C-alpha cells in the first residue's frame, strides 16, 4: 500500500494528465481521481509501463476544450497518443518533446492554426492522422524525413502549398484530399504508388499522378523579352548594408527624412486610384452577375485534359493561351480587375494579419534610408505608435514588366509565407506605379555585417558552430520557400540574411527578383552568387540557382571572404582553400570537410547535379547530428 498522495508528491505523469484534462475536458467526462500513487495508470485511456504512461487513447469521448501546451508533451515515454473524434479546438501545441511517439492520431476534431511543424521532430512516427480539422498553412517539407511513416492522413483541412516530395518506402496509406493544395505533385516513386483518391478535391493540384496537366501559374514566369535593350544601371553597388545612404533627391544630410513616398505622393496616388476605381465600377457594374459562370469556366479549364508538351514555361503559357476561349479570357481579366479595384490604393495586409496601421500612418512615419538594392530602396520607418517597420519601395522602372494584377497575385502568395527563418512580409501596397512591401524591422543587422562589417580585414571567420547554425537556418528558410514549387528566392546573399531577435538567421527579399526585368538588375555585388546558367540576363533564376547561391553563401560563411574574392576551384581544392582561410584546430578538420562538401555540391556548374534544397537541409542536419553524437561521446569518455 502506498501512502495517500499529497499534491507536492504527485507523480509528474499524473500532473501532466490532470493539467491536460483541466483544459481539454470542459464537460468533465473523464473521471480522474488520484488516491494512490499509481492510480493514474488505471485512468480511462491510460496505459502504463513501469509506472510511465506509454499509451493515451481517448477516442470519441466527447472531449470539449483545447489541447494545452506543456501537458501531454511531458509524457516523454508516450508511444501512442489518440484524441480521435472529439471536439477539441485551438492550435495543436509543440509536440517535439514526444520523441518516442509512434502513433499520433488527432483526426476528427476542430483544431485550427497551422499544421504543426514540430511533427517533423518525431522521428519514430509511423502513423500520423490530423485529418478532418481546420488546419491551415503548408505541410512541413521536412515531413519527408520521417522515414518510418506508414500512414499519413491530412485530408479535409485547409492546408495550402504543395505536396512535399514524400518518398518514404514504408508509406502505404496517404490521404491529402479536400485541402487547398496547389502545384505539381512530385513524381517520386512512393507518391506514384497512390492514385487520384489520395489527392482529390484540391482543385489546383496537377501532375502526372492525377492525370492533370499543369499550366503556368502567372505571367511572371514567362521569359522576359530578350530583345528589349538592357536598362541603364540604377543605383546599385553601394548597397551592402553597412553604408547608410542619403536619399537620391533632393540631396540631404539628414538621417531622418519624411518618407520620400511622403504624404503628397500618397495623397495623389489615393485620389487617382479612387478615380480609377470609380471609373472601373461604372464600366463593370452591368456585368457583375456573370461572376459565377466565370468561376465555373475557370474550373472547367483547370480540368481540361490538355497535354503538357514541354516544361519550358514560355511554351506552357502559349499552349494555355491556345486552349483558352476568347470568352474565358475576358472573364478571367474581369475577375482580376474586380479584385484589383478592391486592393489598388490600399494597404493590403498579408496572411490574415490585422490592420495595425493605416496607409496614412505609414506615410507620416519618419524614415531612415537603409540602402538601395537591386530592385528598390529600403527604409526603416518609425510609425507614430512607435512600431518600427521596414519599407521596401520597388523601383517602378525595374518592375514595370509586372502588371498590377500579377503583382497583386504574387504578393498574395509570397505575403502568406510564414516561417521562423523568413522575415515576414506584413503588408504591401500598389497604385499608379508606386509599389511598397512592408516587413518587420530586424534590429540585429545582416549576415553581411556580421561577416564583413565591423571586423577588420584580417579578422577570423565565424566560429564553426555559428557557421553550422546559420547554414541550417538559411537552408530551412529556403527549403520552405521551395515547398511551393513555383516560388524561388532569386536573390540569396549575405545582405539578405538578417539576424532576428534571438540571432536566428532569417531570409528577406525573397521572391521579389522575379518581379523585375532581370536585365535591369545587374549588380556587381550580386554577380558572384549567380549560378552560371542564369548569368545571361535572359535566363530566369530557378530553385537550383538558389541552391548555387546558397553554396556560395556557405563558402562566404566558412572563409569570411566576400564571394567576389572567391577563387574558382574544383571541389577537391575547395577544402584546402577553406582550411587555409581559417585557423581551426585539428578537431574541426572533419566537420569543416563535411560543410565544405555541401558547399561544393551546391555550387556545381550543372544545375541538374546540384541537390534540391530539402536535400541540402538534410545533409546539414545530418552533419549537426553526427557532430552532436561525437561531442556527446567525447564528453562521456573525458
Ligand atoms: N527588414 C529589415 N530589417 C533591417 N534591415 C534590413 C531589412 N531589410 C533590409 N535591410 C537592410 O537594408 C539594406 C538595404 O536592403 P536592400 O534589400 O534594399 O538592399 P540589398 O539587400 O543590398 O540588395 P537587394 O535589393 O539585392 O536585396 C541592407 O543592408 C539590408 O541588410
Amino acid at each position: 500500500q502506498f501512502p495517500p498522495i499529497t499534491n507536492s508528491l504527485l507523480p509528474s505523469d499524473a500532473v501532466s494528465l490532470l493539467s491536460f484534462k483541466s483544459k481539454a475536458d470542459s464537460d468533465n467526462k473523464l473521471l480522474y481521481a488520484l488516491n494512490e500513487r499509481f492510480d493514474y495508470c488505471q485512468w480511462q485511456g491510460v496505459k502504463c509501463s513501469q509506472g510511465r504512461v506509454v499509451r493515451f487513447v481517448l477516442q470519441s469521448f466527447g472531449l470539449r476544450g483545447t489541447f494545452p501546451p506543456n501537458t501531454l508533451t511531458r509524457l516523454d515515454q508516450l508511444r501512442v497518443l489518440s484524441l480521435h473524434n472529439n471536439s477539441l479546438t485551438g492550435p495543436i501545441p509543440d509536440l517535439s518533446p514526444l520523441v518516442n511517439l509512434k502513433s499520433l492520431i488527432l483526426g476528427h476534431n476542430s483544431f485550427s492554426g497551422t499544421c504543426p511543424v514540430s511533427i517533423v521532430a518525431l522521428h519514430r512516427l509511423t502513423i500520423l492522422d490530423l485529418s478532418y480539422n481546420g488546419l491551415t498553412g503548408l505541410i512541413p517539407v521536412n515531413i519527408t524525413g520521417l522515414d518510418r511513416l506508414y500512414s499519413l492522413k491530412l485530408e479535409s483541412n485547409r492546408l495550402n502549398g504543395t505536396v512535399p516530395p514524400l518518398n518514404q518506402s514504408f508509406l502505404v496509406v496517404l490521404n491529402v484530399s479536400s485541402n487547398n493544395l496547389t502545384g505539381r505533385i512530385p513524381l517520386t516513386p512512393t507518391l506514384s504508388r497512390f492514385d487520384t483518391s489520395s489527392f482529390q478535391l484540391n482543385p489546383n493540384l496537377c501532375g502526372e499522378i492525377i492525370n492533370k496537366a499543369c499550366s503556368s501559374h502567372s505571367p511572371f514566369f514567362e521569359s522576359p523579352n530578350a530583345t528589349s535593350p538592357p536598362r541603364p544601371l540604377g543605383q546599385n553597388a553601394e548597397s551592402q548594408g553597412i553604408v547608410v545612404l542619403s536619399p537620391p533627391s533632393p540631396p540631404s544630410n539628414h538621417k531622418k527624412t519624411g518618407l520620400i513616398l511622403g504624404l503628397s505622393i500618397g495623397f495623389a496616388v489615393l485620389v487617382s486610384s479612387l478615380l480609377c476605381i470609380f471609373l472601373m465600377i461604372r464600366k463593370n457594374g452591368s456585368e457583375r452577375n456573370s461572376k459565377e459562370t466565370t468561376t465555373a469556366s475557370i474550373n472547367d479549364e483547370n480540368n481540361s485534359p490538355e497535354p503538357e508538351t514541354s516544361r519550358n514555361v514560355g511554351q506552357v503559357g502559349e499552349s494555355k493561351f491556345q486552349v483558352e476561349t476568347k470568352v474565358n479570357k475576358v472573364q478571367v481579366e474581369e475577375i482580376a480587375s474586380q479584385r484589383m479595384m478592391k486592393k489598388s490604393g490600399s494597404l493590403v495586409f498579408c496572411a490574415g494579419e490585422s490592420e495595425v496601421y493605416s496607409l496614412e500612418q505609414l506615410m507620416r512615419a519618419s524614415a531612415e534610408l537603409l540602402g538601395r538594392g537591386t530592385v528598390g530602396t529600403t527604409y526603416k520607418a518609425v510609425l507614430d505608435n512607435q512600431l518600427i517597420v521596414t519599407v521596401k519601395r520597388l523601383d517602378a522602372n525595374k518592375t514595370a514588366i509586372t502588371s498590377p494584377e500579377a503583382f497583386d497575385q504574387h504578393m498574395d502568395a509570397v505575403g502568406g509565407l510564414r516561417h521562423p527563418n523568413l522575415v515576414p512580409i506584413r503588408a504591401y501596397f500598389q497604385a499608379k506605379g508606386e509599389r511598397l512591401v512592408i516587413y518587420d524591422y530586424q534590429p540585429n543587422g545582416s549576415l553581411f555585417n556580421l561577416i564583413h562589417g565591423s571586423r577588420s580585414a584580417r579578422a577570423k571567420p565565424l566560429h564553426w558552430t555559428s557557421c553550422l547554425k546559420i547554414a541550417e537556418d538559411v537552408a530551412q528558410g529556403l527549403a520552405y520557400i521551395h515547398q511551393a514549387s513555383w516560388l524561388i528566392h532569386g536573390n540569396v546573399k549575405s545582405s539578405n540574411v538578417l539576424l532576428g531577435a534571438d540571432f536566428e538567421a532569417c531570409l528577406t527579399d525573397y521572391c521579389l527578383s522575379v518581379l523585375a526585368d532581370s536585365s535591369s538588375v545587374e549588380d556587381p555585388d550580386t554577380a558572384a552568387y549567380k549560378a552560371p546558367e542564369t548569368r545571361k540576363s535572359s535566363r530566369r533564376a530557378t530553385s537550383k540557382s538558389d541552391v548555387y547561391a546558397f553554396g556560395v553563401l556557405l563558402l562566404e560563411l566558412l572563409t569570411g571572404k566576400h564571394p567576389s574574392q572567391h577563387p574558382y576551384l574544383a571541389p577537391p581544392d575547395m577544402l584546402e582553400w577553406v582550411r587555409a582561410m581559417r585557423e581551426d584546430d585539428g578537431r574541426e578538420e572533419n566537420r569543416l570537410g563535411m560543410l565544405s562538401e555541401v558547399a561544393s555540391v551546391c555550387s556545381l556548374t550543372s544545375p541538374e547535379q546540384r541537390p534540391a534544397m530539402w536535400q541540402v537541409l538534410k545533409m546539414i542536419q545530418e552533419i549537426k547530428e553526427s557532430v552532436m553524437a561525437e561531442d556527446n561521446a567525447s564528453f562521456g569518455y573525458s
Side-chain angles (χ1 to χ4, degrees), residues 136-386:
T136 52
L138 308 183
I139 303 174
V141 69
N142 292 352
I143 204 167
T144 52
L146 298 179
D147 39 17
R148 302 186 190 180
L149 211 55
Y150 163 85
S151 166
L152 176 62
K153 286 166 67 58
L154 301 175
E155 71 267 26
S156 294
N157 278 290
R158 285 183 283 129
L159 300 170
N160 55 28
T162 53
V163 176
L166 296 160
N167 204 14
Q168 292 94 321
S169 35
F170 299 127
L171 195 67
V172 290
V173 178
L174 173 71
N175 196 342
V176 294
S177 58
S178 296
N179 279 292
N180 299 321
L181 299 171
T182 50
R184 178 189 299 275
I185 302 168
L187 202 54
T188 64
T190 296
L191 286 178
S192 314
R193 292 204 296 259
F194 297 96
D195 62 17
T196 320
S197 60
S198 296
F199 305 97
Q200 68 199 354
L201 299 173
N202 286 287
N204 297 317
L205 273 185
C206 63
E208 296 79 351
I209 293 176
I210 54 170
N211 250 332
K212 187 173 158 196
C214 297
S215 50
S216 63
H217 288 274
S218 79
F220 315 130
F221 297 95
E222 279 160 21
S223 314
N225 183 356
T227 56
S228 69
R231 290 166 195 273
L233 286 186
Q235 337 87 353
N236 55 8
E238 321 108 295
S239 60
Q240 285 297 359
I242 40 175
V243 194
V244 174
L245 300 166
S246 43
S249 78
S252 159
N253 293 329
H254 299 302
K255 246 187 160 188
K256 299 229 161 164
T257 69
L259 265 182
I260 292 184
L261 29 117
L263 248 186
S264 51
I265 298 179
F267 191 67
V269 158
L270 268 180
V271 170
S272 46
S273 316
L274 285 174
L275 197 65
C276 189
I277 292 169
F278 176 67
L279 289 174
M280 284 166 99
I281 290 173
R282 280 193 52 170
K283 180 172 170 281
N284 292 315
S286 60
E287 297 163 22
R288 216 167 272 155
N289 51 12
S290 63
K291 195 173 172 186
E292 272 181 35
T293 346
T294 314
T295 318
S297 42
I298 287 173
N299 288 339
D300 286 347
E301 192 231 318
N302 279 342
N303 291 325
S304 71
E306 169 204 348
E308 193 190 347
T309 48
S310 157
R311 297 200 66 174
N312 174 303
V313 186
Q315 286 177 21
V316 173
E318 260 175 49
S319 60
K320 182 183 171 202
F321 178 77
Q322 285 159 2
V323 296
E324 257 175 9
T325 64
K326 227 175 177 179
V327 176
N328 270 355
K329 203 162 174 246
V330 171
Q331 288 169 336
V332 170
E333 278 164 10
E334 190 201 324
I335 284 197
S337 74
Q338 282 176 356
R339 281 184 72 207
M340 286 302 301
M341 282 191 308
K342 272 200 276 156
K343 291 183 167 183
S344 172
S346 42
L347 207 52
V348 182
F349 282 83
C350 305
E353 304 255 346
S354 50
E355 303 185 9
V356 281
Y357 44 86
S358 64
L359 181 63
E360 290 69 30
Q361 271 176 298
L362 191 66
M363 295 302 171
R364 276 202 308 269
S366 67
E368 180 188 322
L369 187 70
L370 290 174
R372 295 195 186 92
T374 45
V375 292
T377 312
T378 304
Y379 302 86
K380 169 185 174 184
V382 185
L383 301 169
D384 48 17
N385 61 7
Q386 296 310 308

Side-chain angles (χ1 to χ4, degrees), residues 239-242 370-378 390 392 423 439-443 445-446 449 491 493 495-496 498 508-509 523 526:
S239 60
Q240 285 297 359
I242 40 175
L370 290 174
R372 295 195 186 92
T374 45
V375 292
T377 312
T378 304
T390 300
K392 181 142 197 158
V423 180
Y439 298 88
D440 279 357
Y441 177 70
Q442 304 292 313
S446 68
N449 289 354
N491 197 5
K493 58 178 179 175
S495 69
N496 282 340
L498 302 177
T508 189
D509 258 2
D523 173 2
T526 313

